[in-house]
Amino acid sequence: MPGFHKNILIPIASAFMFGMYPAAAQLAYKHGANPLFLILISTFCRAASLVIFSGLRGHRLLPERGSPVKATVLAGFLQAVSIFGIITSLLYLPGPVMIVIVFTSTTMLLLLLVIRGETSLDGITVLSTIGAFIGVALVVDVLNSSSDLPIIGLSLAFLAALATTFRIYIFGKEVARLNPGVAGARIFSVTLLFTLLLLFNDTPTLPTTLFGWSGIILASISLCLGTFGMFYGISAVGTFEFSLFVKLEPVFTSLFAWLILGQILSITQYAGIVLVIGSLMLYNVYKFQQRKK
């Protein structure tokens, strides 16, 4: 792919924006907001921003008569399942454990692409994938997490990982036939409808302070911009490469946790950052040289 080394900046920017979300969400939770309110407001903002952006660019948002919509609905549903699995698993699991499980989606996506004959395995790809995964585990400090891991929490996290695997795969198919902004607008409009069903199970709680609202705004902005990067990044580099490079998200999360919450990193976490970046650089250089040849 011509310009691969430049296009990869899109998923990196997406990971940067997604990495801001956890610290912003934690700030909102500390000041009265509950997860349901943040899910609803951020999903609404993601859908609305994509709809407005695509509309201003003159794109048709509603599907034409007879055009396929099943994939869009399924992708929106899987996005909602992914959100639900991540949020509810945190009721039972430490955050680092949830993150590591959800990031197994990259490996599952690679296997799915191989099984469907859409890519082939090579040593550098496998090494980079494993190296980045181990690096993520070190960055989130999973070794120091609680050893009490209930089955229900593990099941919900793996549900989120499976949903993430298949939604990213379908996202790739959708952006191949549609403008990335239009694909995102349609998919997240469906996601918003599914997330509204959560109102039957809980009641949204708003922040009680200005700091809490600042967290809500920051979290929503980070998800909106990260979502734009997700759809345009998948369009630019493909599903697997996007999924691989978005593993930088925990690295940026650690950075924002230090900037916003004042958290200090350990030596092990710094080692994890080096391993993630090194693995991705190895993959990027290898693939760029392949395309150059």
Side-chain angles (χ1 to χ4, degrees):
M1 182 187 299
F4 170 82
H5 59 301
K6 295 179 181 178
N7 289 339
I8 210 66
L9 293 175
I10 304 175
I12 291 174
S14 180
F16 178 82
M17 296 312 305
F18 282 140
M20 188 190 304
Y21 174 80
Q26 191 171 341
L27 182 63
Y29 297 154
K30 282 184 177 180
H31 294 271
N34 70 345
L36 177 58
F37 177 72
L38 187 53
I39 289 173
L40 293 176
I41 193 67
S42 61
T43 304
F44 171 79
C45 290
R46 294 166 90 175
S49 61
L50 287 162
V51 167
I52 293 171
F53 176 79
S54 299
L56 290 176
R57 294 186 62 125
H59 296 299
R60 179 187 176 92
L61 293 172
L62 293 176
E64 296 179 355
R65 180 174 296 181
S67 63
V69 296
K70 289 183 179 179
T72 299
V73 174
L74 179 58
F77 171 73
L78 290 173
Q79 177 69 49
V81 171
S82 177
I83 294 171
F84 172 79
I86 290 170
I87 296 299
T88 53
S89 68
L90 288 174
L91 298 175
Y92 307 96
L93 300 177
V97 175
M98 180 276 294
I99 291 172
V100 169
I101 292 174
V102 171
F103 270 95
T104 61
S105 60
T106 301
T107 304
M108 290 190 284
L109 178 62
L110 178 60
L111 292 175
L112 176 62
L113 292 171
V114 170
I115 290 171
R116 295 186 64 86
E118 297 179 26
T119 191
S120 58
L121 288 177
D122 58 72
I124 296 297
T125 298
V126 173
L127 181 63
S128 299
T129 303
I130 295 174
F133 179 76
I134 295 173
V136 167
L138 293 175
V139 171
V140 301
D141 202 19
V142 71
L143 296 178
N144 291 323
S145 300
S146 172
S147 59
D148 183 18
L149 304 175
I151 293 297
I152 184 172
L154 294 173
S155 300
L156 288 166
F158 275 111
L159 174 66
L162 283 171
T164 298
T165 300
F166 287 104
R167 72 173 170 83
I168 291 293
Y169 180 78
I170 298 173
F171 287 177
K173 300 299 182 184
E174 290 294 276
V175 299
R177 71 180 187 89
L178 297 169
N179 173 273
V182 173
R186 292 180 181 179
I187 289 170
F188 269 87
S189 294
V190 174
T191 299
L192 179 61
L193 294 177
F194 279 113
T195 55
L196 289 175
L197 297 176
L198 296 174
L199 290 170
F200 291 101
N201 186 58
D202 199 2
T203 302
T205 303
L206 279 63
T208 55
T209 68
L210 185 60
F211 282 109
W213 281 106
S214 298
I216 293 291
I217 293 171
L218 193 60
S220 298
I221 290 174
S222 72
L223 288 182
C224 286
L225 295 178
T227 302
F228 272 90
M230 176 171 63
F231 285 102
Y232 282 93
I234 291 173
S235 177
V237 303
T239 52
F240 172 71
E241 289 172 10
F242 173 84
S243 182
L244 182 62
F245 276 82
V246 87
K247 275 188 165 60
L248 285 168
E249 180 183 335
V251 174
F252 292 125
T253 296
S254 300
L255 172 64
F256 284 114
W258 172 64
L259 290 173
I260 297 175
L261 303 173
Q263 295 181 1
I264 305 300
L265 300 183
S266 66
I267 297 298
T268 304
Q269 289 174 296
Y270 282 116
I273 291 174
V274 172
L275 183 55
V276 171
I277 295 175
S279 298
L280 298 184
M281 288 179 63
L282 173 66
Y283 179 86
N284 189 23
V285 171
Y286 172 69
K287 286 297 183 181
F288 180 67
Q289 290 300 322
Q290 276 194 324
R291 289 174 172 86
K292 195 174 180 181
K293 292 178 182 178

